[in-house]
Amino acid sequence: MSTTQQTTERPWLIQGGMGIGVSGWRLARAVGRTGQLGVVSGTALDTVVARVLQNGDPGGHIRRALAAFPVAEIADAVRERYFVEGGIEDGERFLATPRMRADDDCPAQLLTIVGNFCEVWLAKEGHSGPIGINYLEKVQLATVPAMFGAILAGVDYVLVGAGIPAQIPSLATLLTLKQPVTAEVTVEGDDKPWQQHFDPASVLRGVDVGDLRRPDVLAIVSLPVLASYLNRSEETRPDGFVVEGHTAGGHSAPPRGPLRLDENGEPVYGPKDIPDLAKMAALGLPFWVAGGQCGPERVAQARAAGAAGVQLGSVFALCEESGLDPQLRRELTERGLRSASVARNDPAASPTSFPFKVADLPGTLSDPGVGAARRRVCDLGYLRTPYRTERGGVGYRCPAEPKVAYLRKGGAVEQTEGRQCLCNGLLAAIGLGQRRPHGYVEPPIVTIGQDLGFLPRIAPDGAPYSAESVVRWLSSGVSPAARP
């Protein structure tokens, strides 16, 4: 088989990657079965797999995927370490998973590879539709092993945002060829990036997996200027772009120019933050428009402007196959039917310093009382930033960790204000929150787009709806030949 992506008709719809675990394998598979691009979130899949196994792996899905992993001894070790028949007791703490470090022999790499393999393998099981995986450039330490696990499972697309994914196209090519790679990791306090080395042979251990297929790489950008920058050379040029507006859920790019906040404390965006789609089309690469694009007429408008189609997240986050906790999903739907916007674009919540949409729901970290009652702890560390220590080593810090620890590591106190632990909060939003002493369970944090105007059209009575029904509804915005 060729090491390049097979030539097929491009999807007109991308179901956006939503982490942690909101766009899980069930949702991505449901969309992929329609012929459109289903996307799993690639964030924290090591912890997701480990906690599902500790919950007893209902349905045996993770164990089925582990049985397909090409290196049996690695899969067996994961199963033996984390699987609990019947699940752990109520209130029992989940086992800790190893945290990613800049070391080349970091033990967290193997579980990351396995987690990404399982998620993609399950999403692709039983159909031939396209499946992608979404990564955050900010989570640099995990990207290479995560992407290799996804490639081993036959992922069709890799989508990367929350930064400048200049390395991803060349890394995807080398990993597909099973060649050693060197990735650059930003270390605060260093003029030059740290070099992270990874050799696929150390994972495969002599197992012949045959030729692998290179996924298409889609860079998620906010404006044509970044797309033009990535398009400047073959090494950094992706296979396409997703142009994401600031109303999309999750992280979004900050406004251009000095940061100004409105009366609600949200960043103020202006005309300079509206992407020029004509400039995107002039680059000659396919692109999809994201952020407030839900509706057949929006699909038609995007395609008329030269786009291949649209990427949508929120409408899928609220459908039946979503990984979001069902009760939270119902509450969001009910609130969305009463008000088209239930999310605040919080400039401080995310440790990444990117604005982050936080849904206003009681019992979640958006509730001031819930947030104030939570004791700061950083035991997952996906959003930690490597920094150069005074002794010349590499340390790791996160502005959402305990303030004393962050300050001891050289962080500035103003960076800690308003920060929320997205790692623990987002895992709790999919029912995998850590259990703490004295019966305390990590509270969820929920993210959703700021435009929920689609709800009265697709679920006017608040009844559950499927991912397939979303695709059918939207398909009237494309030509008959492109419909599922």
Side-chain angles (χ1 to χ4, degrees):
M1 184 179 293
S2 169
T3 56
T4 58
Q5 172 71 29
Q6 301 300 299
T7 301
T8 58
E9 186 175 347
R10 297 189 193 104
W12 54 266
L13 173 63
I14 299 176
Q15 163 256 304
M18 298 171 286
I20 297 171
V22 173
S23 60
W25 63 266
R26 291 176 177 83
L27 173 57
R29 185 172 69 173
V31 176
R33 288 171 67 93
T34 71
Q36 301 309 305
L37 179 54
V39 179
V40 298
S41 167
T43 305
L45 285 175
D46 51 345
T47 298
V48 170
V49 163
R51 291 188 179 181
V52 171
L53 286 171
Q54 289 172 80
N55 274 342
D57 186 23
H61 303 297
I62 299 298
R63 283 168 290 166
R64 189 169 69 254
L66 286 173
F69 190 76
V71 185
E73 62 183 288
I74 294 176
D76 290 344
V78 170
R79 184 173 55 251
E80 291 169 8
R81 170 64 174 163
Y82 295 106
F83 177 62
V84 177
E85 187 72 48
I88 59 177
E89 297 292 331
D90 288 344
E92 185 177 351
R93 180 183 176 87
F94 288 114
L95 291 175
T97 50
R99 293 202 277 184
M100 195 65 67
R101 305 180 65 86
D103 310 326
D104 294 343
D105 57 350
C106 173
Q109 289 188 350
L110 286 180
L111 187 56
T112 297
I113 292 167
V114 169
N116 280 257
F117 174 91
C118 289
E119 193 77 358
V120 172
W121 190 90
L122 287 169
K124 291 183 69 68
E125 186 181 27
H127 68 95
S128 59
I131 294 295
I133 193 164
N134 179 272
Y135 297 121
L136 300 177
E137 173 65 17
K138 283 284 187 178
V139 190
Q140 290 184 320
L141 295 174
T143 300
V144 169
M147 188 159 53
F148 185 60
I151 289 173
L152 282 176
V155 74
D156 300 294
Y157 288 81
V158 170
L159 301 88
V160 187
I164 304 175
Q167 303 180 78
I168 305 301
S170 59
L171 288 174
T173 298
L174 292 173
L175 290 173
T176 299
L177 296 171
K178 293 165 284 187
Q179 295 183 4
V181 302
T182 299
E184 293 185 345
V185 176
T186 301
V187 176
E188 291 184 359
D190 277 5
D191 294 332
K192 295 182 179 179
W194 179 277
Q195 291 191 328
Q196 178 190 39
H197 305 286
F198 177 81
D199 187 355
S202 67
V203 178
L204 296 178
R205 303 177 183 182
V207 174
D208 183 8
V209 295
D211 290 339
L212 300 176
R213 180 161 45 87
R214 182 191 183 277
D216 278 357
V217 174
L218 302 183
I220 302 174
V221 301
S222 59
L223 293 168
V225 62
L226 177 54
S228 297
Y229 170 78
L230 294 172
N231 195 41
R232 76 194 192 284
S233 75
E234 290 187 5
E235 287 191 356
T236 62
R237 183 179 300 124
D239 299 286
F241 299 96
V242 174
V243 187
E244 188 173 82
H246 58 83
T247 62
H251 291 95
S252 58
R256 299 187 75 180
L259 179 63
R260 294 186 300 114
L261 303 180
D262 64 16
E263 64 276 8
N264 297 318
E266 300 186 44
V268 176
Y269 292 85
K272 292 183 178 180
D273 301 299
I274 300 175
D276 186 332
L277 299 187
K279 289 184 178 180
M280 288 300 308
L283 294 177
L285 292 174
F287 68 95
W288 290 257
V289 185
Q293 300 300 312
C294 192
E297 70 286 350
R298 300 287 182 88
V299 177
Q301 290 167 5
R303 288 169 65 87
V310 298
Q311 174 180 285
L312 302 175
S314 298
V315 69
F316 290 111
L318 299 180
C319 75
E320 292 177 299
E321 295 90 348
S322 163
L324 193 61
D325 177 84
Q327 180 60 36
L328 293 174
R329 204 164 63 225
R330 284 192 294 271
E331 291 180 14
L332 272 174
T333 300
E334 291 170 2
R335 286 177 173 247
L337 286 170
R338 295 195 300 266
S339 172
S341 178
V342 299
R344 176 175 178 267
N345 195 20
D346 194 324
S350 174
T352 67
S353 297
F354 279 64
F356 184 77
K357 311 302 183 307
V358 178
D360 180 20
L361 291 175
T364 71
L365 286 173
S366 65
D367 184 329
V370 174
R374 180 186 181 272
R375 182 175 66 87
R376 283 186 173 226
V377 61
C378 183
D379 55 357
L380 292 166
Y382 293 105
L383 297 178
R384 293 180 305 159
T385 300
Y387 72 99
R388 183 63 64 184
T389 67
E390 292 181 354
R391 296 185 176 183
V394 176
Y396 306 87
R397 62 191 178 202
C398 175
E401 69 182 334
K403 291 184 180 181
V404 172
Y406 188 69
L407 297 178
R408 186 175 64 245
K409 298 172 184 177
V413 66
E414 58 268 21
Q415 288 295 316
T416 67
E417 298 303 321
R419 301 295 192 220
Q420 302 285 1
C421 180
L422 300 190
C423 301
N424 276 293
L426 292 174
L427 277 164
I430 60 170
L432 294 177
Q434 182 61 284
R435 295 87 176 264
R436 307 290 186 193
H438 311 298
Y440 182 82
V441 178
E442 283 284 354
I445 190 168
V446 179
T447 183
I448 198 77
Q450 290 188 291
D451 182 2
L452 302 185
F454 58 83
L455 278 172
R457 303 174 67 183
I458 196 167
D461 56 357
Y465 61 89
S466 69
E468 183 183 2
S469 70
V470 174
V471 178
R472 286 200 308 269
W473 171 52
L474 295 168
S475 67
S476 63
V478 297
S479 63
R483 296 177 190 173

